[in-house]
Structure formats: C-alpha cells, structure tokens
Amino acid sequence: MTKNLKHFRNCQSLDILELLQELKETIEAEPDAASFSGRLKNEFTACHLVLNERFAAAEKGVPAPAFRPQPARSKAPKGNAVELANIVRLIDLHYCWCAGHRPQQNAISEAIFGAEFDFDAAHRFTRSKGKTLKKLELIELHDTFGPQHCRLGNVTLLLDTDRSSQRVFHRARERHKIDLQNRSLKAGVDKREWADLLAIGTMLKHLDIPIDGNTLKQMTSLIGRHISDRPFRHKEKYVSACKKLGLDVE
C-alpha cells in the first residue's frame, strides 16, 4: 500500500479519477471475488486516500468520495462484497478526518480521529457490527453534516435523507444537462457548470438548507467543481441559470 500511495501522490488528480473509472468498470464487469483483490484492491484504496488528502488541501477539481467513480453496490463481487464495503467505509472515515472531523466524546471516535488518522482503529470500526445510525452516533455524525458537509460527501456513513439527497443531485444534474443542451446560450456559458449549480440548488432545497453564495460554494467544492473563490459569483451564476430555464430563484 505504501508503494501505491507514493506512486499516486506523484500523479495528476484527473489521471487518478480516470483510473478510478476504469477500476469501477472492472469491478462491476467481473462477478467473482477476484475482481476486488490484490493489485486492484490496493490501487482502488490508494487512489481514494490520495484524493482525500488533496480534498483536504482544497485542490481544485477533487470531489468527495460520493462524487467520484464508485462501484455500484448491486454489482459488488460475490465473495468480496463485504471486503469492498469495508474498504469504502475506511475511505469514508479517512475522508471525514481529512475534512476536519474531530469527535472526542468516546474512546472509539477519539482513537480513529486523532492528530493522525489511525488506520488500525478505523479498520476495526469498519468491521464491527451495528446499524448505520449507531455507528454515526459513535463518530458524532448523527446530528450534523460535519466539517465541509463530510456526511454528505461520503458513500456509506449516511442517513437515509443523505442518500436520497445524493440521488436527488445526480438525477437533477442529468435532467438539467439535457434542458441546457436544448437552449441557446451565450458563448461564454459553461453548460455543465450551470447544470451542477442547478442540481446543487435542488439538493439544498431537499435538505432545507438556504441557497446562498456560501452554501453553493461549499457544495460545488464537494462535487469537485471550482467556479470562483468568491461566494457571490456562485449565486450570480445560479440565478442566471434559473432565469434561463424559467425556474424559481430562492
């Protein structure tokens, strides 16, 4: 694993994301356990851990785990489905630590989220039995999104409302991409950027979070989209996109 981490730390983030897409397709295409073992498993894990580090460093274009290529749960390899799920949980815990989550109410969470991320404690936690809500309580993510909305940005440590909000975002983005393709827009308009902003607005409404420059900026960072360092520019573009499609502006 150390060798893989060293290698991917010298790679461009876009190249890592492209490799994750290839790994996702390989895992989904092979139904047996061999499709998630050995080199593939190590590369999959290392890619995500490096991207987590870069997300923490606010590198532009690096999304949270939930918005990276991820194998569909329904296509997890037989015989290794549990192992894949545990690795994804480990990646999620590391992402939450990278995002700044530092719970200190019990020994389990303190061990994982200390000054350094404790991979051994995290491994034990991922393999422990218990319902998702109980696990969220142990790491103090049950009643808060955490720093940088880390609960919304992970794949497994979610409430049902989080998971439905992620689905709302993805469906809205695809719908708005199609809507914008059929519109005549100014040459400087980035239709994918507008689709992202509109989908983020839909997700914020679903979560009952106010739509303003700051929340739009936080969420664009979550999905790996960089628009501007100034929150008001996000709101301006969001308003323009809404008006162009005849949507209500919050």
Side-chain angles (χ1 to χ4, degrees):
M1 179 59 70
T2 302
K3 183 179 179 181
N4 282 309
L5 285 171
K6 184 177 180 180
H7 169 72
F8 288 119
R9 283 174 180 146
N10 291 319
C11 295
Q12 296 293 318
S13 296
L14 183 59
D15 293 334
I16 297 175
L17 287 166
E18 288 179 352
L19 176 58
L20 280 177
Q21 179 62 37
E22 294 175 10
L23 296 177
K24 162 187 160 62
E25 292 171 0
T26 300
I27 293 168
E28 291 181 342
E30 299 293 337
D32 59 32
S35 67
F36 191 70
S37 61
R39 179 180 175 181
L40 188 151
K41 173 184 170 182
N42 289 336
E43 287 188 350
F44 177 86
T45 307
C47 282
H48 278 290
L49 296 182
V50 169
L51 290 178
N52 286 349
E53 295 170 353
R54 294 181 182 179
F55 183 91
E59 181 178 315
K60 296 174 182 177
V62 176
F67 302 98
R68 302 172 195 161
Q70 292 281 358
R73 290 189 296 171
S74 61
K75 295 184 179 180
K78 294 178 180 178
N80 256 342
V82 173
E83 181 62 11
L84 173 58
N86 285 338
I87 290 296
V88 175
R89 288 190 193 100
L90 176 70
I91 291 164
D92 283 344
L93 288 168
H94 181 254
Y95 159 71
C96 290
W97 182 84
C98 286
H101 188 54
R102 297 293 185 273
Q104 297 179 340
Q105 297 302 312
N106 62 70
I108 293 175
S109 60
E110 240 185 309
I112 298 170
F113 299 97
E116 298 291 333
F117 183 75
D118 191 322
F119 282 95
D120 290 335
H123 271 293
R124 289 193 294 273
F125 183 79
T126 61
R127 286 160 173 73
S128 64
K129 295 182 179 180
K131 294 184 178 180
T132 300
L133 180 57
K134 182 62 176 178
K135 289 198 168 190
L136 287 171
E137 289 174 353
L138 288 173
I139 59 172
E140 298 171 51
L141 270 180
H142 58 294
D143 61 355
T144 174
F145 287 119
Q148 299 189 49
H149 297 286
C150 64
R151 202 177 74 206
L152 272 179
N154 75 70
V155 181
T156 61
L157 302 170
L158 304 167
L159 297 175
D160 289 342
T161 52
D162 306 324
R163 204 176 298 281
S164 66
S165 296
Q166 290 175 354
R167 288 195 295 267
V168 162
F169 167 81
H170 288 295
R171 291 169 182 167
R173 178 161 63 176
E174 292 308 307
R175 183 175 70 252
H176 290 308
K177 279 182 182 178
I178 294 171
D179 291 342
L180 289 166
Q181 285 172 0
N182 298 323
R183 300 281 177 154
S184 177
L185 303 174
K186 292 180 180 179
V189 171
D190 184 332
K191 293 183 179 181
R192 290 187 177 182
E193 181 180 270
W194 273 23
D196 282 346
L197 280 170
L198 290 168
I200 288 168
T202 303
M203 181 167 64
L204 288 171
K205 290 177 185 176
H206 186 261
L207 292 165
D208 198 26
I209 295 175
I211 300 174
D212 57 34
N214 287 318
T215 55
L216 288 168
K217 184 175 184 297
Q218 286 177 337
M219 292 298 179
T220 54
S221 295
L222 205 65
I223 68 170
R225 164 74 68 181
H226 179 75
I227 292 175
S228 170
D229 293 328
R230 300 179 179 182
F232 78 88
R233 290 290 295 136
H234 294 73
K235 186 60 180 287
E236 283 182 348
K237 292 193 175 188
Y238 173 74
V239 170
S240 296
C242 286
K243 289 182 176 178
K244 188 64 180 181
L245 293 182
L247 302 173
D248 292 335
V249 178
E250 294 294 317

